[in-house]
């Protein structure tokens, strides 16, 4: 079945049963509204607050803490005291839920922005007369009147056009207004940017006028299809979320397994149920790293602050860490990889060699540039701060900009060469003509600029024809937009109605090549990205030749990587695209659905995809990508609403700065996980081991909370401030499914847990059974106090082990002063809690002698000494391996 752009205007009118002069009748409108509905987008279903809270409560670690709250509350009611424990644990649960909900973002803002893009009213022909109606009332078959400044109310087939130009950048991504022609009948599947006989909902009429018949309304329009794509909740969970879920699942499994073992052992030993429930509360508190969410959130927030200073605004916290895992960057061309400023790159005067815009101009070349400037209608706007803004057509702006660069005073120039007559540009003629008094003699100078194949200049001979074609083709091969200049002198001017007669028998002057040049910093950034294992992909609405030329200059296309167009892409199934996706580095003339398929194809290969964009057409892919990156200067509200990050400078180089920060954030979160896991697993092992050995509970739930929140939390917060390794961008991206515990970290964790547990059990044994002081007798209270301090001190000192693989003796205060300060604060808190009698007695701590304190300090240093030994041995092995690699003979 043919689509609307493949049919003639008369055929479309016949199918929609409407007369172009009379339009629809009121009865026709009622019938069509019943059939097609209102011309608006389906409402987006918002998730309620209660639903969001219930969703957070499905997390296993949260359920364990809730269970601990219930048990501790029951014990507090039974015993009539100890209500502080359920209050503190409950507060932690509430804090985690609030953090999670405030981080959640959805497509609601993007959907609202998309719905607001339509004009509230439009002009149509109904019942034989023009009427202004509400846009929501437009139905298929309505005859729409199009004028400059109108927003188009629906997708429509053009019936008549007069120099009609439409800004379709929000839909197609093309920065230039599209020239429309109702007389065209296109064949086959044409990309939206090539459908010159169609107009689309929410696009702006920038020039000319026309009539069109509405063909699609509401969700059936191209914008409606984008709305439907945005409503599909295809946003994948970020790598960080997946990793944290796996960590939470692992901890929960260990906690549940340990609880089962404890219950079995307790029942076998004849313990009562309430005692076992108390132990279960302690185990739950020990298992869950209560400060993990807070520390991760603050680490991400610190990354957000650093990125904001580098022109990257983060809308969704998880995007910070996901950037560190990015392996594919799908980038729009215009404004991101290029400067979005059309610039003259080459000038050629017939009979001379082509020159670059940076070359010095001869007198004749300068006159050539001045003739081009005469044929321009740009306006110069000067701001108070001295900045100059050029208003007008982008091609003429490029000519004006070069003239300014060459020192031409535009205001004085135009006074010197006032226009006598002008034939304006039209899309059908593809040229314009200006007439001035001849500055080099008598008569009038006629200057015409326009398309190479439209200007009627005189060809002297076949050699000239071949030379002109050769120069033109070389510029075109470099993806330049080519403007031709021709002129002649006439003695007299014809009447206004016959001015077009001047556009004949012109003398060929020369060509200029205009291009939107690549950003210099983008070239270096793409090279750095490749070094970091990140591949850059260009996705654009431009033509394939233009995109390929820019991609080669940027270094995106290397080796045998190729270019594929939107129509070619539609011929591939999802499976075929996923199999061949790695062979293409440039995607040209693509639709919003194509962009979405490209992102999902890369994701199916376990790649972490960042997608940049500025238009409405980019929004579905921005939302589906692992990191959606919108442009802050030229981006639409819809694109920004669908994104995870906004570039305030629209610069590709900023993305690489953000990736660097993202990798450092991942490294800091990994340190945090390592730090907390060792502490919490140690607590589980200590409690479980104590029960198996027949000992009483070594610490109370409240003591565990103090250790986890104060001893783990405060030093852990400082890990968010760790500086990045200078070599961080010389490594491959972090894999989507890569664990926090890769690189032998599991073995290190096991060693540290064993050391933590061993010294704690020794401390408990000494405090309970060994006489080390004449004034303080061994007791259960002394044992618990020693265990609390040993666990607290070893946790605090463990932060130095986690901080770096560098020895603690090589660390300096300048490395992370906040960490040193936090450690001192925590030591002071723990000493105050146990040494001050009033506070200690309230929390269940016993007084200790100086010998007890020395034993606590000595035992607390042992795990750090074990870690230092491991670091030393690892460094020795690394140096030996490097030495062997350097000295190994080269195989020939």
């Amino acid at each position: 079945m043919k689509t609307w752009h493949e049919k003639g205007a008369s055929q479309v009118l016949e199918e929609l049963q409407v007369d172009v002069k009379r339009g629809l009748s009121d009865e026709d409108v009622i019938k069509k509204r019943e059939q097609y509905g209102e011309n608006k987008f389906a409402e987006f279903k918002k998730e309620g607050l209660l639903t969001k809270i219930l969703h957070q409560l499905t997390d296993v670690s949260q359920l364990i803490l809730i269970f601990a709250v219930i048990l501790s509350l029951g014990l507090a009611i039974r015993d009539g005291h100890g209500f502080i424990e359920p209050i503190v644990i409950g507060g932690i649960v509430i804090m985690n839920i609030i953090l999670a909900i405030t981080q959640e973002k959805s497509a609601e803002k993007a959907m609202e922005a998309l719905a607001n893009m339509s004009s509230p009213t439009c002009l149509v022909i109904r019942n034989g007369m023009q009427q202004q109606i509400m846009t929501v009332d437009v139905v298929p078959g309505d005859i729409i009147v199009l004028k400059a400044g109108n927003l188009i109310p629906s997708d429509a087939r053009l019936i008549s056009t007069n120099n009609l130009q439409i800004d379709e950048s929000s839909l197609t991504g093309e920065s230039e207004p599209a020239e429309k022609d109702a007389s065209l009948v296109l064949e086959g599947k044409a990309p939206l940017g090539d459908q010159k006989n169609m107009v689309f909902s929410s696009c702006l009429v920038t020039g000319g006028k026309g009539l069109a018949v509405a063909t699609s309304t509401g969700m059936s329009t191209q914008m409606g299809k984008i709305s439907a794509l945005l409503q599909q909740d295809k946003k994948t969970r970020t790598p960080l979320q997946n990793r944290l879920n796996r960590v939470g699942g692992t901890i929960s499994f260990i906690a549940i397994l340990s609880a089962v073992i404890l219950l079995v052992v307790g029942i076998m030993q004849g313990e009562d149920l309430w005692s076992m429930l108390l132990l279960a509360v302690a185990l739950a508190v020990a298992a869950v790293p209560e400060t993990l969410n807070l520390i991760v959130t603050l680490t991400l927030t610190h990354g957000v602050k650093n990125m904001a200073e580098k022109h990257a605004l983060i809308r969704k916290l998880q995007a910070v860490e996901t950037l560190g895992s990015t392996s594919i960057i799908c980038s729009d061309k215009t404004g991101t990889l290029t400067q979005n400023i059309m610039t003259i790159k080459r000038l050629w005067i017939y009979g001379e060699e082509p020159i670059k815009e940076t070359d010095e101009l001869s007198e004749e070349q300068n006159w050539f540039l001045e003739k081009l400037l005469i044929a321009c209608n740009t306006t110069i706007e000067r701001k108070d701060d001295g900045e100059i803004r050029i208003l007008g057509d982008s091609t003429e702006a490029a000519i004006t900009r070069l003239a300014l660069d060459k020192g031409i005073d535009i205001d004085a120039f135009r006074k010197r060469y006032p226009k006598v007559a002008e034939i304006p540009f039209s899309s059908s003629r593809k040229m314009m003509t200006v007439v001035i008094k001849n500055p080099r003699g008598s008569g009038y100078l006629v200057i015409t600029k326009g398309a190479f194949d439209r200007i009627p200049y005189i060809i002297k001979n076949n050699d000239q024809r071949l030379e002109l074609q050769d120069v033109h083709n070389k510029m075109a091969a470099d993806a330049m937009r080519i403007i031709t200049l021709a002129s002649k002198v006439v003695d007299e001017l014809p009447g206004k109605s016959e001015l077009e007669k001047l556009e004949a028998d012109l003398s060929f002057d020369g060509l200029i090549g205009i291009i939107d040049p690549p950003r210099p910093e983008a070239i270096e950034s793409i090279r750095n990205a490749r070094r970091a294992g990140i591949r850059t992909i260009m996705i654009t609405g431009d033509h394939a030749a233009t995109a390929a030329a820019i991609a080669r200059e940027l270094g995106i296309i290397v080796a045998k990587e190729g270019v594929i167009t939107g129509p070619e892409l539609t011929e591939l199934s999802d499976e075929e695209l996923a199999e061949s996706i790695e062979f293409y580095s440039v995607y040209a003339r693509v639709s919003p659905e194509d962009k979405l398929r490209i992102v999902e194809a890369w994701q199916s290969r376990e790649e972490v995809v960042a997608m940049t964009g500025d238009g409405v057409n980019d929004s579905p892919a921005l939302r589906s990508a692992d990191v959606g990156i919108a442009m802050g200067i030229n981006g639409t509200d819809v694109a920004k609403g669908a994104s995870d990050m906004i570039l305030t400078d629209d610069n590709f180089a900023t993305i690489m700065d953000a990736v660097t920060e993202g990798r450092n954030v991942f490294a800091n979160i990994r340190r945090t996980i390592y730090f907390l896991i060792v502490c919490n697993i140690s607590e589980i092992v200590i409690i479980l081991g104590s029960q198996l050995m027949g000992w009483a509970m070594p610490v109370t739930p409240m003591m565990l909370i103090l250790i986890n929140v104060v001893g783990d939390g405060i030093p852990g917060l400082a890990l968010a401030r760790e500086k990045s390794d200078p070599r961080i961008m010389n490594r491959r991206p972090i894999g989507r499914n890569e664990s926090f515990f890769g690189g032998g970290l599991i073995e290190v964790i096991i060693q540290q847990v064993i050391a933590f547990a061993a010294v704690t059990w020794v401390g408990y044994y000494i405090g309970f059974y060994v006489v080390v002081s004449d004034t303080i007798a061994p007791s259960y209270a002394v044992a618990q106090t020693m265990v609390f301090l040993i666990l607290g001190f070893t946790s605090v000192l463990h932060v130095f082990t986690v901080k770096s693989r560098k020895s603690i003796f090589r660390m300096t205060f300048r490395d992370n002063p906040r960490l040193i300060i936090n450690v001192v604060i925590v030591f002071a808190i723990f000493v105050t809690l146990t040494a001050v009698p009033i506070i200690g007695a309230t929390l269940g701590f016993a007084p200790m002698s100086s010998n007890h304190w020395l034993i606590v300090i000595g035992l607390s240093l042992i795990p750090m000494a074990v870690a230092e030994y491991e670091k030393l041995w690892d460094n020795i092995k690394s140096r030996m391996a490097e030495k062997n690699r350097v000295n190994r003979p080269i195989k020939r």
Side-chain angles (χ1 to χ4, degrees):
M1 180 180 176
K2 290 185 176 181
T3 51
W4 298 115
H5 67 267
E6 297 178 88
K7 302 173 183 179
S10 58
Q11 184 183 356
V12 174
L13 290 168
E14 184 179 344
E15 286 190 25
L16 292 171
Q17 299 178 344
V18 61
D19 178 77
V20 67
K21 292 183 179 179
R22 289 197 54 79
L24 297 174
S25 66
D26 292 338
E27 292 179 358
D28 294 332
V29 172
I30 293 170
K31 290 178 182 178
K32 286 180 179 288
R33 186 170 295 122
E34 290 176 355
Q35 181 180 356
Y36 297 104
E38 292 186 322
N39 181 31
K40 63 180 184 179
F41 300 150
E43 293 186 7
F44 183 73
K45 187 177 180 181
K46 298 182 180 180
E47 191 179 60
L49 179 61
L50 181 60
T51 304
K52 291 179 180 179
I53 293 173
L54 292 175
H55 177 69
Q56 295 302 321
L57 293 179
T58 59
D59 182 73
V60 178
S61 59
Q62 288 285 79
L63 290 174
I64 290 176
L65 282 178
I66 292 170
F67 179 67
V69 171
I70 295 170
L71 287 179
S72 59
L73 183 61
L75 289 170
I77 293 172
R78 188 197 72 163
D79 298 336
H81 61 80
F83 284 95
I84 191 170
E85 288 180 6
I87 291 172
V88 172
I89 301 173
I92 291 169
V93 172
I94 293 170
M95 178 191 70
N96 288 338
I97 291 173
I98 291 172
L99 280 173
I101 291 176
T102 53
Q103 289 175 43
E104 279 189 359
K105 301 289 182 182
S106 66
E108 292 173 8
K109 288 186 178 180
M111 291 299 302
E112 290 169 1
L114 190 58
N116 291 333
M117 285 188 67
S118 299
S119 172
T121 62
C122 62
L123 195 63
V124 300
I125 297 175
R126 285 183 180 176
N127 300 309
M129 64 180 71
Q130 290 190 11
Q131 301 179 25
Q132 192 169 45
I133 65 169
M134 300 299 292
T135 296
V136 73
D137 293 330
V138 172
V139 294
D142 263 323
I143 304 300
I144 305 168
V145 180
L146 301 174
K147 297 178 181 179
N150 291 163
L151 276 173
I152 298 166
S154 69
D155 290 1
R157 173 61 165 89
L158 288 164
I159 302 168
S160 65
T161 52
N162 184 0
N163 295 329
L164 184 65
Q165 293 185 322
I166 310 292
D167 179 2
E168 297 179 340
S169 58
S170 62
L171 185 63
T172 65
E174 292 191 58
S175 55
E176 291 297 304
E179 297 172 1
K180 297 295 182 176
D181 188 345
S183 65
L184 294 176
V185 177
L186 306 174
E187 295 183 1
K189 296 178 179 179
L192 296 180
D194 290 342
Q195 293 182 20
K196 303 299 183 183
N197 56 6
M198 297 287 297
V199 291
F200 303 103
S201 172
S202 302
C203 293
L204 178 68
V205 180
T206 58
K209 57 185 179 179
L211 281 181
V213 55
T215 54
S216 304
T217 57
M219 296 299 287
S220 298
T221 64
Q222 294 298 325
M223 287 294 182
K225 292 175 182 177
I226 291 174
S227 174
L229 291 172
L230 281 173
Q231 292 191 39
Q232 296 174 10
D233 192 12
K234 290 188 175 180
K235 188 70 178 180
T236 56
R237 295 184 72 86
T238 69
L240 175 62
Q241 289 170 324
N242 289 331
R243 292 186 185 103
L244 289 176
N245 285 343
R246 287 196 293 269
V247 169
T250 301
I251 292 174
S252 301
F253 173 77
I254 292 171
I256 293 170
L257 180 63
S258 302
V260 171
I261 294 172
L262 279 174
L263 286 172
V264 171
V265 171
I267 291 171
M268 291 176 63
Q269 292 178 346
E271 298 284 352
D272 70 21
L273 180 61
W274 284 105
S275 297
M276 298 310 301
L277 288 176
L278 180 62
L279 200 57
V281 171
L283 194 63
V285 173
V288 179
E290 290 87 351
T291 56
L292 176 59
N293 284 340
L294 176 62
I295 294 174
V296 168
T297 299
L298 291 177
T299 304
L300 294 172
T301 303
H302 182 64
V304 168
K305 177 177 175 292
N306 290 342
M307 288 182 182
E309 294 172 355
K310 299 174 182 177
H311 308 290
L313 298 181
I314 300 297
R315 297 184 63 250
K316 302 176 184 177
L317 277 180
Q318 285 81 4
V320 180
E321 184 272 343
T322 309
L323 278 162
S325 300
T326 298
S327 55
I328 300 291
I329 299 176
C330 296
S331 178
D332 189 26
K333 177 182 72 68
T334 305
T336 309
L337 296 173
T338 63
Q339 298 175 29
N340 198 21
I341 300 175
M342 298 305 292
T343 305
I344 295 176
K345 300 300 289 183
R346 205 168 301 167
L347 299 91
W348 179 64
I349 298 176
Y350 178 64
E352 299 184 6
E353 289 295 318
I355 62 170
K356 296 179 180 179
E357 84 285 4
T358 53
D359 295 339
E360 289 292 326
L361 301 184
S362 65
E363 183 178 344
E364 194 61 28
Q365 291 164 348
N366 199 67
W367 173 232
F368 173 72
L369 175 59
E370 288 183 344
K371 283 197 284 187
L372 282 167
L373 184 60
I374 291 168
C376 291
N377 290 316
T378 50
T379 302
I380 304 295
E381 184 182 89
R382 290 179 171 83
K383 297 184 178 180
D384 294 338
D385 58 3
E387 182 184 349
I388 294 177
R389 185 183 177 194
I390 303 173
L391 305 177
D393 175 77
S394 60
T395 299
E396 296 187 350
I399 296 169
T400 307
R401 192 173 296 107
L402 181 59
L404 287 169
D405 291 342
K406 297 302 180 183
I408 296 176
D409 185 332
I410 303 296
D411 295 331
F413 177 85
R414 286 181 173 159
K415 289 178 182 177
R416 190 164 71 248
Y417 300 119
K419 294 176 184 178
V420 175
E422 180 176 343
I423 307 173
F425 177 88
S426 74
S427 57
S428 58
R429 298 182 325 111
K430 300 284 187 183
M431 59 182 177
M432 71 166 293
T433 297
V434 172
V435 182
I436 64 169
K437 288 184 178 180
N438 184 11
R440 294 188 171 186
S442 61
Y444 298 92
L445 177 63
V446 179
I447 303 171
T448 302
K449 69 174 173 65
F452 178 75
D453 57 350
R454 293 295 184 93
I455 294 181
Y457 48 80
I458 299 171
I459 301 293
K460 297 176 182 178
N461 51 52
N462 194 51
D463 288 342
Q464 185 191 30
R465 183 192 305 276
L466 293 175
E467 182 181 5
L468 298 184
Q469 195 65 52
D470 180 60
V471 174
H472 174 275
N473 292 345
K474 286 179 180 177
M475 286 188 179
D478 290 335
M480 294 184 183
R481 180 187 299 173
I482 300 165
I483 304 297
T484 304
L485 184 75
S487 63
K488 68 177 181 181
V489 175
V490 297
D491 294 329
E492 295 182 357
L493 296 181
K496 286 186 178 180
S497 61
E498 298 180 322
L499 276 177
E500 288 193 12
K501 291 182 179 179
L502 293 172
E503 295 177 332
D505 300 329
L506 298 165
S507 297
F508 183 89
D509 287 333
L511 303 173
I512 57 170
I514 302 177
I515 199 169
D516 182 7
R519 288 179 178 265
E521 64 273 21
I523 298 174
E524 181 65 23
S525 296
I526 289 168
R527 188 181 300 117
N528 292 338
R530 194 175 289 273
R531 189 183 303 120
I534 302 170
R535 183 172 172 182
T536 306
I537 304 296
M538 180 191 289
I539 303 179
T540 178
D542 277 347
H543 291 280
T546 303
I550 294 292
R552 289 190 183 93
E553 189 171 350
L554 286 164
I556 290 175
I557 292 182
V558 296
K560 297 181 180 179
E561 297 162 4
V563 181
I564 188 171
T565 64
E568 292 171 334
L569 201 62
T570 57
E571 299 299 321
L572 299 177
S573 66
D574 291 342
E575 292 75 19
E576 290 171 332
L577 177 59
E579 289 176 4
S580 61
I581 191 81
E582 63 182 303
F583 299 111
Y584 303 109
S585 289
V586 176
Y587 298 83
R589 307 304 275 173
V590 293
S591 68
E593 292 88 349
D594 293 332
K595 295 183 179 185
L596 190 59
R597 289 184 66 206
I598 293 165
V599 168
E600 291 175 348
W602 279 113
Q603 288 174 332
S604 71
R605 298 174 70 97
E606 298 302 324
E607 303 287 354
V608 177
V609 182
M611 169 78 188
T612 75
D614 54 10
V616 175
N617 61 319
D618 298 316
S619 52
L622 288 173
R623 184 161 184 252
S624 183
D626 296 287
V627 184
I629 304 171
M631 301 299 108
I633 299 173
N634 296 313
T636 62
D637 289 340
V638 180
K640 293 174 184 177
S643 69
D644 303 292
M645 182 174 88
I646 298 173
L647 301 182
T648 59
D649 59 357
D650 289 11
N651 194 338
F652 183 87
T654 301
I655 300 175
M656 293 312 300
D657 290 337
V659 169
T660 303
E661 185 63 35
R663 290 191 177 188
N664 187 50
V665 165
F666 173 83
N668 286 340
I669 291 177
R670 187 174 186 264
R671 290 185 184 100
T672 301
I673 298 291
Y674 168 29
F675 173 65
L676 295 177
I677 286 293
V678 168
C679 298
N680 287 80
I681 297 297
S682 299
E683 291 165 5
I684 294 174
V685 171
I686 290 163
I687 293 173
L688 184 59
S690 298
Q691 182 70 12
L692 292 174
M693 288 186 286
W695 291 350
M697 193 161 59
V699 280
T700 65
M702 177 51 62
M703 292 177 184
L704 285 172
I705 289 175
L706 286 171
I707 293 169
N708 289 353
V709 174
V710 179
D712 299 347
I714 296 177
L717 293 176
L719 289 176
R721 303 280 178 165
E722 279 298 305
K723 297 177 182 177
S724 64
D725 187 328
R727 302 164 297 175
I728 202 166
M729 290 302 287
N730 294 333
R731 303 166 186 165
R732 64 174 179 80
I734 303 144
R736 178 184 290 278
N737 296 315
E738 188 172 325
S739 168
F740 280 123
F741 307 112
L745 190 58
I746 289 291
E747 291 81 355
V748 176
I749 289 173
I750 292 172
Q751 292 168 357
Q752 287 292 294
V753 168
I754 292 172
F756 271 46
V759 297
T760 305
W761 285 327
V762 169
Y764 181 90
Y765 182 85
I766 292 173
F768 203 111
Y769 298 107
V770 180
V771 177
V772 297
S773 169
D774 295 334
T775 56
I776 304 294
S779 68
Y780 178 45
V782 172
Q784 279 193 324
T785 305
M786 290 184 70
V787 167
F788 170 78
L789 287 171
I790 293 169
L791 264 177
F793 288 173
T794 51
S795 295
V796 175
L797 294 173
H798 179 57
V799 78
F800 294 110
T801 300
V802 170
K803 180 180 182 297
S804 171
R805 293 304 295 165
K806 186 168 62 174
S807 170
I808 190 173
F809 300 108
R810 295 175 58 194
M811 298 178 190
T812 66
F813 181 80
R814 291 190 302 273
D815 289 344
N816 189 343
R818 186 183 296 267
L819 180 65
I820 307 295
I821 294 169
N822 284 13
V823 166
V824 172
I825 289 172
V826 174
F827 272 120
I829 291 173
F830 284 157
V831 170
T832 302
L833 290 176
T834 53
V836 177
I838 297 175
I839 299 175
T842 304
L843 296 173
F845 296 121
M848 295 195 308
S849 67
S850 57
N851 290 339
H852 287 100
W853 280 100
L854 289 173
I855 292 169
V856 164
I857 294 170
L859 290 173
S860 300
L861 292 171
I862 291 175
M864 190 170 68
V866 171
E868 282 297 303
Y869 170 77
E870 290 297 328
K871 287 182 183 180
L872 177 63
W873 180 237
D874 285 346
N875 290 331
I876 291 172
K877 287 191 293 184
S878 297
R879 284 196 294 269
M880 290 174 63
E882 180 65 19
K883 184 178 180 181
N884 291 336
R885 187 185 67 80
V886 172
N887 295 333
R888 188 180 298 121
I890 300 173
K891 294 182 180 180
R892 299 186 183 278

